[in-house]
Amino acid sequence: MRKFWFRLYSSATIASLLLAAGFWKTTPLYHAANTLLPSVAVSPGNQVVAQGSPPACSAIDPITKGMKKERRATAMAQLARSTEDWDFVINEWIQAIEDLQTIPADSPKRIFAQKKIAEYIKNLELAYLEAVATTSSLPFSSFDNEIFDQQLRLYLSYIAAVGTPDILIVGSSRALQGLDPQQLQKSLGILGKGELKVFNFGVNGATAQFVDFQLRQLLTPEQLPRLVIWADGVRAFNSGRVDRTYQSLVASEGYKRLLAGDRPTLPKSQKESANTCQAISESTISSVTTKIYQKWAPETRLWATATLTSNRQPRPCNLDPATCNLQLVSKQLTTANTGYSTFAINANGFIPMNGTFNPKIYYRSHPRVSGRYDADYQPFSFAGKQTTAVNAIKSFLRQQNIPLVVVNLPLTKDYLDPVRLNREQKLQQWMLKQTGEGFIFIDMGRQWLNQNQYFADPSHLNQYGAAAVASELAANPQIPWP
């Protein structure tokens, strides 16, 4: 990725900039107090000079201001080693974008500014990728599940940032990519349910035992939501199969530390402060880039979570941050053993999957496995450890006065062969026996059998299906929304 920065400057130019600034690869950008070492300014002659204090804010042509920040961001990118360093580079790109945004629509400079903004967005994206790649290691012992480790760290950060969610989604990969929390928030708001916070704590491979651990052992009472939506399918409740996900969990160092009383936490920062001179007007990178994509560079837009028309067909998203989840990144940084990228998880714990399931194309690279030979279904039993876990979850949430909604997520007709269809029917019968005080079952399993446009593969929804499920659940009168 380092080579990218040479797209704007030649290696000789970069070298001269760094030499003029007095910086070397051995020189850190920040000292222990998190203050920038003598700042870098760029003269009209493109010479970088060191300064002991930030320059006073003054009225400067936006193009000039933006391009100065461009040069500084590019120079600093050569030195960045830590997340803090890359955060500085990110802020420079954001401010450069904001400067060029101020060019009026009728200005002769606007076309040039549009092109520069498109460049800056790409640079911002890669700087953000670098910041994520240099993020420090886990602040707690690993649970030997990369997705779960990252989801747990994100959930703790989410609580620190916006508070405990009102609604918590749990389940396996089918939940992780099958129920869009941001779309659920939006749909509930439209229906007059208020501004409810929703987080998706789905984890690949999660079973009833795993969800039981999350809710009863891992989370404190203060970290529990007001409503739990458990989105999944037959596999999570099958006691006949070997639960390797849970076995790996209980053998992990993180689990042992938790049992010993060492609960996962995030360290508190003493460094948060406001930028007084050139404060960023938007609170997040995503809100800035969303506005840029919408107003300035539509030709460079990346895919986003779609909203749906009344007949539930996907339609283009207008990139309004209230309705869409702009995905800055198509590049994978860290790929878990499931094939997922941990970087693909958005701020609400959801992985939006692009692409549409096409059987003719899909089975060219994936074997077609019938339910008779699928280890998720064979052997099969509702009597055993998973049922014990379900009963424990029901009892616990009832004591906490937290309603539990179990959603059997949709599947394709291609997936539901006679064996799997039989298991689905047994699941429905078994779940109906479980319903009672505080427990609601919603069966969507066979709702979209011929709607392949909602699926990424035969059994997992894509971003459009995840948004459609969220919209339908929001309108479901059975659910006691907080």
Side-chain angles (χ1 to χ4, degrees), residues 312-338:
R312 293 199 290 269
Q313 293 300 313
R315 65 178 173 82
C317 174
N318 63 3
L319 295 183
D320 179 350
T323 62
C324 290
N325 170 37
L326 180 64
Q327 299 300 312
L328 287 178
V329 180
S330 57
K331 176 176 179 177
Q332 292 189 348
L333 285 182
T334 305
T335 303
N337 55 13
T338 59

Side-chain angles (χ1 to χ4, degrees), residues 14-58:
I14 290 294
S16 64
L17 288 172
L18 300 179
L19 287 171
F23 284 108
W24 300 93
K25 287 291 182 180
T26 56
T27 305
L29 292 182
Y30 292 86
H31 56 58
N34 190 35
T35 56
L36 184 67
L37 290 176
S39 61
V40 177
V42 184
S43 69
N46 294 346
Q47 294 298 311
V48 182
V49 295
Q51 297 185 152
S53 60
C57 298
S58 59

Side-chain angles (χ1 to χ4, degrees), residues 71-87:
R71 297 184 187 107
R72 185 156 70 170
T74 303
M76 289 299 184
Q78 304 302 309
L79 307 171
R81 293 182 175 183
S82 67
T83 302
E84 277 184 331
D85 298 343
W86 283 109
D87 283 348

Side-chain angles (χ1 to χ4, degrees), residues 349-382:
F350 171 66
I351 294 184
M353 298 296 288
N354 204 4
T356 301
F357 170 59
N358 183 329
K360 294 181 179 179
I361 297 175
Y362 181 83
Y363 291 114
R364 292 175 185 171
S365 55
H366 298 82
R368 186 188 292 267
V369 180
S370 72
R372 184 181 300 276
Y373 303 104
D374 190 338
D376 287 347
Y377 294 85
Q378 302 292 345
F380 185 83
S381 174
F382 282 128

Side-chain angles (χ1 to χ4, degrees), residues 208-209 237-240 381-391 430:
Q209 288 190 114
F237 307 100
N238 179 13
S239 295
S381 174
F382 282 128
K385 54 198 175 186
Q386 304 301 348
T387 297
T388 300
V390 170
N391 291 331
W430 183 73

Side-chain angles (χ1 to χ4, degrees), residues 208-344:
Q209 288 190 114
F210 196 97
V211 172
D212 181 36
F213 161 75
Q214 286 178 285
L215 297 176
R216 292 202 305 120
Q217 291 182 273
L218 178 67
L219 301 182
T220 66
E222 295 76 23
Q223 295 169 340
L224 289 171
R226 297 160 63 192
L227 173 71
V228 173
I229 297 180
W230 188 353
D232 220 307
V234 172
R235 174 191 177 279
F237 307 100
N238 179 13
S239 295
R241 60 183 295 275
V242 177
D243 191 347
R244 293 186 176 85
T245 305
Y246 186 72
Q247 288 179 349
S248 175
L249 169 73
V250 297
S252 69
E253 183 64 24
Y255 185 83
K256 295 173 184 176
R257 296 299 305 169
L258 180 65
L259 292 184
D262 185 5
R263 188 168 295 279
T265 59
L266 299 182
K268 293 184 178 180
S269 172
Q270 304 298 324
K271 302 176 182 179
E272 294 184 21
S273 61
N275 188 331
T276 56
C277 181
Q278 295 183 345
I280 300 171
S281 62
E282 299 290 342
S283 61
T284 64
I285 294 174
S286 62
S287 60
V288 174
T289 52
T290 296
K291 182 167 63 176
I292 302 302
Y293 270 74
Q294 183 178 2
K295 296 178 68 174
W296 289 84
E299 72 278 3
T300 64
R301 291 178 183 173
L302 301 177
W303 57 271
T305 300
T307 53
L308 302 170
T309 59
S310 58
N311 63 356
R312 293 199 290 269
Q313 293 300 313
R315 65 178 173 82
C317 174
N318 63 3
L319 295 183
D320 179 350
T323 62
C324 290
N325 170 37
L326 180 64
Q327 299 300 312
L328 287 178
V329 180
S330 57
K331 176 176 179 177
Q332 292 189 348
L333 285 182
T334 305
T335 303
N337 55 13
T338 59
Y340 289 125
S341 165
T342 57
F343 186 77

